[in-house]
Amino acid sequence: MSKRVDELTFADDGMFQEVLRDPQISAELVELLLGVRVDHVEYPELEKIIQPFYTTKGVRLDVYLKDKNKVIDVELQSYPQEALGKRVRYYEAMIDMDALMKGEDYSKLKDSYILFICKHDPFKNANGNAFGLPRYTFKNVCAENALVNLDDKSLKVVYNASAYEAEKDERIKALLRFVKTDEPSEDDFSNRLKTLVQKIKENEKFRRDYAAMNLHDRDMIRIGREEGLHQKAVEAAINLLKMGVGTPEQIAQAQGLTLEQVLELQKQISAQPAQT
């Protein structure tokens, strides 16, 4: 079940998005974790839904930022993720498609950055052991000659907060530690984030909006119960859909629900109003 407002941390869904509504915070986080200069930030489009065709699977982004020549998707994952690489690939494709459908020629595509901050290491070796790096940076380079770069102007960076102690940059280390433990360090940024989280939790509008979102989830669970579905299965399916873990078919099979039931839950989640 969802947390109460007073239990929320920076790494929780809803709170993370609300904190990054502040363009200055968004720019500072991006510049810290990606090492790129952000000249300005267009107002973050929280949980932007990109769905170019009504028959395709849309993608719901946590925070979608733009400046003059960059498009930046920032995601925070609190739970272990499967097939994160394919998810990153899909997000990037949808972001590019969104730009092209607005009339941009492919040669005019902005530089694309996909930034994931994960509380758990998403990458494991063949034996199932985590690689344990605090950050993983991915670029498209030539397998035959690493000096040859595809120069597609895309970059994917995944941070693993569970390995924060191995991070050499002290400011990044402090931020990852904050994501993992909810304990700010002596650095200014994590302390400002902690203060902002507390301020948001005291905001009556945020509390009402968050309660409404939780009520929506409870309504879906109640409907499922009235239709004779197992409550725990419905709760698990809702959580998996929100986290983007597995396809509707896989979720249905794992939770003992029909595909139609899971698709209906997915439809209701997509219709859920975003916090404003």
Side-chain angles (χ1 to χ4, degrees):
M1 296 294 288
S2 298
K3 293 181 177 180
R4 294 184 298 107
V5 171
D6 294 331
E7 298 173 331
L8 292 175
T9 71
F10 173 68
D12 286 313
D13 185 41
M15 179 58 72
F16 173 71
Q17 297 157 1
E18 189 68 17
V19 170
L20 265 69
R21 285 183 65 87
D22 184 325
Q24 182 177 347
I25 291 291
S26 295
E28 191 167 348
L29 182 138
V30 165
E31 290 178 1
L32 174 62
L33 296 183
L34 293 179
V36 296
R37 179 68 181 170
V38 179
D39 54 22
H40 79 282
V41 174
E42 293 184 16
Y43 195 77
E45 300 177 54
L46 297 185
E47 286 197 333
K48 176 184 175 70
I49 298 176
I50 296 175
Q51 192 163 359
F53 304 105
Y54 73 92
T55 55
T56 65
K57 170 182 168 60
V59 55
R60 184 180 291 269
L61 306 178
D62 278 353
V63 182
Y64 186 60
L65 312 176
K66 294 181 180 179
D67 76 355
K68 183 169 59 178
N69 54 16
K70 303 181 191 70
V71 178
I72 306 165
D73 171 34
V74 185
E75 304 285 331
L76 197 151
Q77 300 295 323
S78 294
Y79 300 94
Q81 295 294 314
E82 296 182 2
L84 182 68
K86 291 183 177 179
R87 186 174 183 180
V88 170
R89 171 183 165 187
Y90 186 75
Y91 279 25
E92 185 176 53
M94 289 297 100
I95 289 172
D96 287 345
M97 181 63 72
D98 183 56
L100 290 173
M101 291 191 69
K102 291 179 170 59
E104 291 281 359
D105 183 80
Y106 72 88
S107 63
K108 301 295 185 182
L109 286 174
K110 295 183 178 183
D111 293 1
S112 169
Y113 296 85
I114 308 291
L115 171 62
F116 269 76
I117 308 167
C118 302
K119 289 186 72 172
H120 304 272
D121 197 329
F123 301 112
K124 295 178 173 58
N125 61 24
N127 296 322
N129 299 317
F131 283 101
L133 297 178
R135 92 175 89 177
Y136 302 89
T137 303
F138 301 94
K139 299 179 180 180
N140 292 322
V141 297
C142 178
E144 288 76 17
N145 186 340
L147 295 177
V148 181
N149 193 312
L150 187 62
D151 196 30
D152 59 349
K153 306 300 183 185
S154 70
L155 181 72
K156 281 79 72 176
V157 179
V158 179
Y159 278 91
N160 166 28
S162 67
Y164 67 86
E165 292 182 346
E167 173 57 49
K168 292 181 173 56
D169 185 300
E170 290 299 326
R171 292 190 67 217
I172 295 177
K173 179 178 181 178
L175 176 60
L176 296 181
R177 178 178 182 270
F178 179 56
V179 170
K180 183 64 178 178
T181 67
D182 195 39
E183 297 175 2
S185 301
E186 294 182 359
D187 91 302
D188 176 61
F189 190 47
S190 62
N191 272 286
R192 280 188 286 127
L193 289 175
K194 182 71 171 181
T195 299
L196 185 53
V197 167
Q198 187 57 42
K199 181 179 178 181
I200 290 170
K201 288 195 286 190
E202 295 170 357
N203 182 280
E204 286 302 320
K205 186 177 187 307
F206 175 80
R207 297 178 74 91
R208 289 196 305 270
D209 290 345
Y210 185 78
M213 292 174 69
N214 286 344
L215 180 61
H216 185 276
D217 287 355
R218 289 196 293 272
D219 284 344
M220 285 193 287
I221 293 169
R222 175 183 55 77
I223 292 170
R225 186 167 57 246
E226 290 175 353
E227 293 179 353
L229 306 179
H230 195 277
Q231 179 174 338
K232 292 294 183 182
V234 174
E235 291 179 17
I238 291 172
N239 287 333
L240 291 170
L241 287 167
K242 284 190 169 185
M243 292 186 292
V245 177
T247 65
E249 292 82 0
Q250 292 169 331
I251 294 172
Q253 183 177 11
Q255 302 304 324
L257 303 173
T258 68
L259 177 58
E260 289 73 19
Q261 290 163 346
V262 174
L263 290 175
E264 180 59 29
L265 291 174
Q266 185 179 55
K267 180 179 177 182
Q268 293 184 41
I269 290 171
S270 296
Q272 184 172 318
Q275 295 172 355
T276 58

